[in-house]
Amino acid sequence: MSQELKTKDIYQRALLAIHKPAAYGDDVDLENFQAPLEAEHPPEITAEDQQRMLEVGITRETSQRSGTFIQVDNRPLISLTRQEGIEVMSTSQALAAYPWLEEYYWKATAVDSDKFTAHAGLNNADGYFIRALPHQKTVFPIQACLYLVREKSIQDVHNIIIAEEGSELNIITGCTTSHQKPGLHIGVSEFFIKKGARVTFTMIHHWAEETIVRPRTNVIIEDDGVYINNYINLVATRSLQTYPTADCRGKRATARFNSILVAPAGSKMDVGSRVFLNGQGSNAEVISRALTTGGEVIARGYIGGHAEDARGHLECRGLILNDGGIIYAIPELKGTLAGVDLSHEAAIGKIAEEEVEYLMARGLGRDEATSAIIHGFLKVDIEGLPENLNKQIDRVVKTSQKEHL
Amino acid sequence: MNLLEIKGLRVSIEGREILHGVDLEIGYGETKVIFGPNGSGKTTLLSTIAGFSHYRVTEGEIIFKGQDITSLPMDERARLGIGLAFQRPPVVRGVKTRELVGTIIQKRGGTEDVGSLAQKANLGNFLDRDINLGFSGGEVKRSELLQLLAQRPDLVLLDEPESGVDLENVALIGSLINELLEKTHPIKNRTKSGLIISHTGYILDYVNADSGYVMYDGKIICQGNPIEILKSIKTMGYQGCLKCLKN
């Protein structure tokens, strides 16, 4: 198929799906939001913006970063790399530079999955292109920020991440907004993890109470590839629905998903992680921690074992702190072959008085003991998380406790 | 003045009276042991001294260092100098043993190194694990004693410290308890006191107690030399204690 026909095909499929509701989550009327606009002038990043970005792990001091990408609304603003063998640019730049990228463009995620992918497709959404050349490894994390400024508008993002054979990428993506007004973020991310490559992808969301968020992430993992996904959302978000999906199609491919969610009143978070174990000996671990102080959380998890010696474990724990909070855990396992080994555990509860008193017996005050337990609950041992980010998560968890508890 | 004085203590759990008037005194530097069958109220007594909210004192009082602590929250009791080694402590997910031990030392204003303390309890490799998660019986007991080493309480409450512990570990547990109770100090210099609950009495092979009690159906029914009491229980059982009481 020629380039022109391919583009036309994507466009046609997107057009047909523009009214197609998503399989999960509340439907959203896209007409309620303004059409994306090309910014007339490059927006400036103010000190206040920088502070907001810092809250989601994006630092202005880039000496400890292998690359940086910042997109404001629909316009990529900064894309730079500081390391040989690691490429960071906008998706549009990459498509222009690399004709072969068409082989990846909308290949992990179908453009007609739902109205959100269709919207991103129809609007030629820009985003980041991050690639590690064969056997290259990021020394520091690459940071990427998706920043929503324009009120009542839709931010379309399309990211493509390629870890070539034997390479390693560590990416931190922070998504936030400059305002408390309504807005819709659509983020398509397509990951391609080649043979023996490893990608750690940490996404920290810090939206506003009126933001609607619809990330669409798909990952293809080849032989001996490893994909680690950490998702952290600790603040109110009116409506969030995401169900990132990994296809462990390679032999011994590994996918790990860790999600940490805090849902204050007024939040609705439908967050899942799905892994298809299609490669021999492939394996998955899906861990989710959800805490509600009045909001609603749907914690989904799905592992499908479809290959010899496939192994997977799913763990979902929920903590309801206030009346009115809802946690709906939906762990699913599907095995279609003898020899697959799949397991899950799910638990929803309150803070155990027994644990609080145990810590009090050591001299901790009640508030202090409760805080330590909540902090411990939310702190998943996330493999591959840089130490500085771990400290930052600690800080966010503590701030979040103060704000919402 | 005694370190601890318990007078006419009646305690209920969910409306049901478990302790029916207990009197007990522990002097500075003294160690006492309470024997009794399962369900006799031993753990209830220790838990009430520690201040668990589940245990409601309906009558009587608990005086510690001359202060009435009957209504004091348990964290304040801990800070006053009461430390409890739980028989079956809960798992606290996400809270690392290192964090807790460090916090306990810090609260006391101490400067000990967490790693060195853990070495004493042979728990050097457990510091980065969630508290009590996947610990064996012996590891749980050693972790409890490690926390008390950090806390340095004046009154050490030990609930069945040897239960579920293999022989090799009992000796280590005994030596940790002896350290907590300053058993290596000359008798007149000892300031730390202990109250040990034991179902089997094995711990007395490693830790010396000054006197012993038998608790039965929520009351203390006998008091005397701990070794003699244990010997009598071993030969005649707790039924023997009841017969003795009737006579």
Side-chain angles (χ1 to χ4, degrees), chain A residues 289 315 317 345 353-355 357-366 368 372-373 375-377 379 381, chain B residues 52-53 74-75 78-79 84 86 89-96 100 104 107 131-132 144 147-148 151:
Chain A
R289 296 276 186 275
E315 181 186 308
R317 292 184 183 276
E345 54 180 305
E353 180 64 13
E354 185 192 20
E355 293 176 31
E357 292 200 330
Y358 180 65
L359 299 182
M360 287 175 74
R362 303 293 181 233
L364 279 74
R366 177 167 287 279
E368 205 179 351
I373 291 165
H375 194 257
F377 173 82
K379 196 174 165 191
D381 287 330
Chain B
F52 283 90
S53 57
M74 62 190 308
D75 54 318
R79 290 197 289 271
L84 168 66
F86 288 58
V91 169
V92 189
R93 280 176 186 272
V95 180
K96 305 293 176 202
L100 180 58
I104 296 169
K107 284 206 157 285
I131 296 163
N132 301 322
E144 289 297 295
Q147 291 171 46
L148 292 189
Q151 196 182 341

Side-chain angles (χ1 to χ4, degrees), chain B residues 119-139:
Chain B
Q119 288 302 332
K120 276 190 190 176
N122 196 18
L123 285 172
N125 297 328
F126 287 71
L127 287 175
D128 292 318
R129 284 172 58 173
D130 291 359
I131 296 163
N132 301 322
L133 180 63
F135 286 19
S136 70
E139 288 155 2

